[in-house]
Amino acid sequence: MKRNVSLEEISDGKLYTSNDMVKADCGDCKGCSACCHGMGESIVLDPLDIYRLTTNLEMSFEALLAQYIELNVVDGIILPNLRMTGPQEACGFLDTNGRCSIHAHRPGICRLFPLGRYYEDGGFKYFLQTHECKKENRTKVKVKKWIDTPNLKQYEVFVADWHNLLMKLEERANDSDEATAKQISMFLLQTFYIRPYDRSLEFYPQYEERRAQAKMIFHV
């Protein structure tokens, strides 16, 4: 999701790599779940998020769609996001104690928060959002420890590649007629989200196969 703001408005003005220390550690939140409420449509899910959720919860994409996620248009492309529900607009994965029930396989944006990604030159760096987290007196933690994702370098390659693919497909859709734009969106949704992933296999080779299919069809 694009944000038309300057880094100076929303961050400490610094860019970080995965080996840098950043003031993001909020002490395991200690009962706070403010960032799991009122997030609207902003927790957009990528294919790895869906692989993790369908694999660990043993649910299909359609089952997730019926209860925990929803579809919305993001920069011209239809993508899934976590659904906020109830009067407090809470994430459906919060338990009765206000804790994340899927913490071990939570989506990438949740792992990242309160960090963000600044994309440039085909890759990205991290930045610290200074106005988003309600916790005060956060302590320093290494970025890669905070993100807590296996095979981080491979994950970062995937994140950059997925972002670049979306940008190219978005550009293609915006330059096309309505029917073609819809076809692009539906292909992306069907290929990377709805079509089941083999839960017994690693995610990345399955993603690469689907990525190659998109590249062949749309020449991106």
Side-chain angles (χ1 to χ4, degrees):
M1 180 178 292
K2 294 178 181 177
R3 298 177 67 182
N4 295 316
V5 294
S6 68
L7 278 179
E8 288 72 19
E9 292 179 72
I10 61 174
S11 78
D12 59 3
K14 301 176 183 177
L15 293 176
Y16 300 90
T17 70
S18 60
N19 287 313
D20 288 328
M21 301 291 289
V22 61
K23 221 174 220 186
D25 196 337
C26 53
D28 196 32
C29 295
K30 294 181 180 177
C32 176
S33 59
C35 63
C36 304
H37 294 78
M39 300 304 291
E41 304 164 3
S42 66
I43 313 300
V44 179
L45 305 174
D46 65 32
L48 178 56
D49 295 330
I50 294 301
Y51 171 83
R52 282 172 167 162
L53 291 173
T54 55
T55 298
N56 290 282
L57 298 178
E58 297 184 353
M59 297 178 70
S60 66
F61 179 84
E62 290 80 2
L64 288 172
L65 194 58
Q67 186 173 359
Y68 296 111
I69 68 177
E70 60 187 4
L71 299 177
N72 283 289
V73 177
V74 180
D75 300 324
I77 296 290
I78 299 172
L79 294 173
N81 59 267
L82 289 185
R83 177 184 295 165
M84 301 291 124
T85 61
Q88 294 184 326
E89 295 185 25
C91 173
F93 287 116
L94 285 180
D95 64 20
T96 55
N97 295 314
R99 304 294 284 175
C100 179
S101 65
I102 57 164
H103 193 263
H105 37 276
R106 64 200 183 279
I109 289 181
C110 302
R111 292 171 183 270
L112 194 63
F113 187 84
L115 303 180
R117 301 189 190 106
Y118 180 77
Y119 293 91
E120 61 179 351
D121 301 326
F124 67 90
K125 288 186 178 179
Y126 302 96
F127 66 90
L128 176 64
Q129 301 181 83
T130 51
H131 307 298
E132 301 297 330
C133 180
K134 304 299 182 183
K135 298 290 284 187
E136 298 180 353
N137 302 316
R138 293 191 300 272
T139 58
K140 285 191 174 182
V141 62
K142 188 166 282 193
V143 170
K144 63 182 178 182
K145 181 179 180 181
W146 181 250
I147 295 174
D148 184 30
T149 293
N151 305 315
L152 181 59
K153 291 300 180 185
Q154 189 175 25
Y155 173 68
E156 290 180 328
V157 169
F158 156 72
V159 167
D161 181 81
W162 176 243
H163 173 80
N164 293 331
L165 176 61
L166 284 181
M167 294 302 99
K168 291 174 181 177
L169 290 179
E170 175 196 333
E171 182 178 355
R172 179 70 62 84
N174 289 335
D175 289 340
S176 303
D177 57 54
E178 185 177 347
T180 302
K182 183 177 180 180
Q183 181 184 22
I184 292 171
S185 261
M186 293 312 298
F187 169 86
L188 187 145
L189 193 62
Q190 177 65 42
T191 302
F192 291 97
Y193 292 101
I194 298 175
R195 191 206 311 173
Y197 289 91
D198 188 330
R199 299 171 185 173
S200 68
L201 299 177
E202 291 292 325
F203 165 76
Y204 295 113
Q206 298 186 72
Y207 167 76
E208 288 300 331
E209 180 270 326
R210 298 172 195 223
R211 172 69 174 83
Q213 185 181 358
K215 185 176 181 180
M216 179 182 66
I217 294 174
F218 296 107
H219 306 288
V220 294

